Amino acid sequence: DAMVIQNPRYQVTQFGKPVTLSCSQTLNHNVMYWYQQKSSQAPKLLFHYYDKDFNNEADTPDNFQSRRPNTSFCFLDIRSPGLGDAAMYLCATSIYTGTGWETQYFGPGTRLLVL
Amino acid sequence: GQNIDQPTEMTATEGAIVQINCTYQTSGFNGLFWYQQHAGEAPTFLSYNVLDGLEEKGRFSSFLSRSKGYSYLLLKELQMKDSASYLCAVRDGDYKLSFGAGTTVTVRA
């Protein structure tokens, strides 16, 4: 089945130790998004790729970076994780069809714990 | 900025009906989405409204009034598996979404 896959599902890292989260999709969607979601809060968009074009949200900390080496894969790099970065990180994709933009499809998320 | 409000929590009994309201003030409007999110899992798409009126999909219905900046999600014949968070999201431009904080629905036997 076509889907959005995130690895790992759970990630534990140490304060200040770089960590990379990965997302892959078999939907062939041209837009990929990274969201941060803390407990009982709305998903917060960090950045997105429209094809190869990277779009950063204005309030996304510099500590967060992203790479999209090809259509299928997208990575979230946290250069120096702090305790406040512990959260669920959601990857999503979407595509424009002939009649408009489809809904976003989400991966299962990676829960990050910072010790 | 974007402002999307929905109640924090709601409780209902199995078999009952629950209505989750969402009000929004956004810089633009290009559709409103409802997602269901079980604890620790990803949001899954439930419904989409871009024109005023009611969209029905099985036990779930969603209503939109663009002039009032208002939507609701109606869950009928509640089942225990409906216990989850329900997220209201507005597409204010081409494809980006702004989410509300979600409404946690607890279904009791």
Side-chain angles (χ1 to χ4, degrees):
Chain A
D1 289 339
M3 58 177 62
V4 182
I5 303 162
Q6 289 188 246
N7 286 305
R9 294 292 310 275
Y10 299 90
Q11 176 74 56
V12 181
T13 191
Q14 293 178 333
F15 183 93
K17 184 175 182 180
V19 65
T20 294
L21 310 181
S22 72
C23 176
S24 64
Q25 53 128 340
T26 60
L27 299 163
N28 204 31
H29 286 178
N30 60 329
V31 185
M32 294 187 77
Y33 311 78
W34 278 106
Y35 290 88
Q36 179 193 64
Q37 187 180 25
K38 297 185 177 180
S39 181
S40 301
Q41 296 184 21
K44 178 181 179 298
L45 183 64
L46 296 173
F47 24 60
H48 72 278
Y49 274 93
Y50 190 126
D51 294 323
K52 294 182 179 180
D53 293 333
F54 176 70
N55 298 271
N56 201 28
E57 294 301 300
D59 55 355
T60 298
D62 292 340
N63 198 26
F64 291 87
Q65 304 285 322
S66 185
R67 297 169 283 135
R68 189 179 187 185
N70 54 53
T71 301
S72 301
F73 285 87
C74 196
F75 299 98
L76 170 62
D77 300 308
I78 308 176
R79 293 191 296 187
S80 183
L83 297 179
D85 297 328
M88 173 77 89
Y89 289 88
L90 297 166
C91 175
T93 71
S94 66
I95 191 168
Y96 184 86
T97 66
T99 54
W101 283 93
E102 286 193 355
T103 184
Q104 293 184 16
Y105 292 85
F106 284 83
T110 295
R111 184 165 295 281
L112 178 68
L113 181 62
V114 181
L115 300 178
Chain B
Q2 320 295 48
N3 193 24
I4 300 170
D5 290 319
Q6 47 182 131
T8 305
E9 294 179 338
M10 301 184 76
T11 301
T13 308
E14 199 173 13
I17 298 173
V18 69
Q19 178 175 314
I20 307 169
N21 296 323
C22 172
T23 58
Y24 62 90
Q25 290 176 305
T26 56
S27 54
F29 182 83
N30 192 19
L32 187 142
F33 296 79
W34 284 95
Y35 286 83
Q36 181 191 60
Q37 186 177 27
H38 284 101
E41 298 181 12
T44 55
F45 170 73
L46 286 179
S47 69
Y48 169 65
N49 296 71
V50 67
L51 300 176
D52 291 349
L54 188 69
E55 293 283 341
E56 297 188 84
K57 191 183 289 188
R59 294 188 298 113
F60 295 175
S61 303
S62 57
F63 172 83
L64 174 68
S65 169
R66 288 173 295 171
S67 62
K68 295 182 180 178
Y70 167 70
S71 172
Y72 68 73
L73 178 70
L74 195 69
L75 314 179
K76 293 179 277 190
E77 301 170 18
L78 278 174
Q79 302 175 8
M80 300 300 288
K81 67 178 182 180
D82 298 329
S83 292
S85 181
Y86 292 84
L87 300 169
C88 173
V90 173
R91 185 162 62 193
D92 57 359
D94 282 339
Y95 52 86
K96 288 168 58 175
L97 296 178
S98 295
F99 284 86
T103 300
T104 299
V105 172
T106 301
V107 181
R108 294 184 174 166

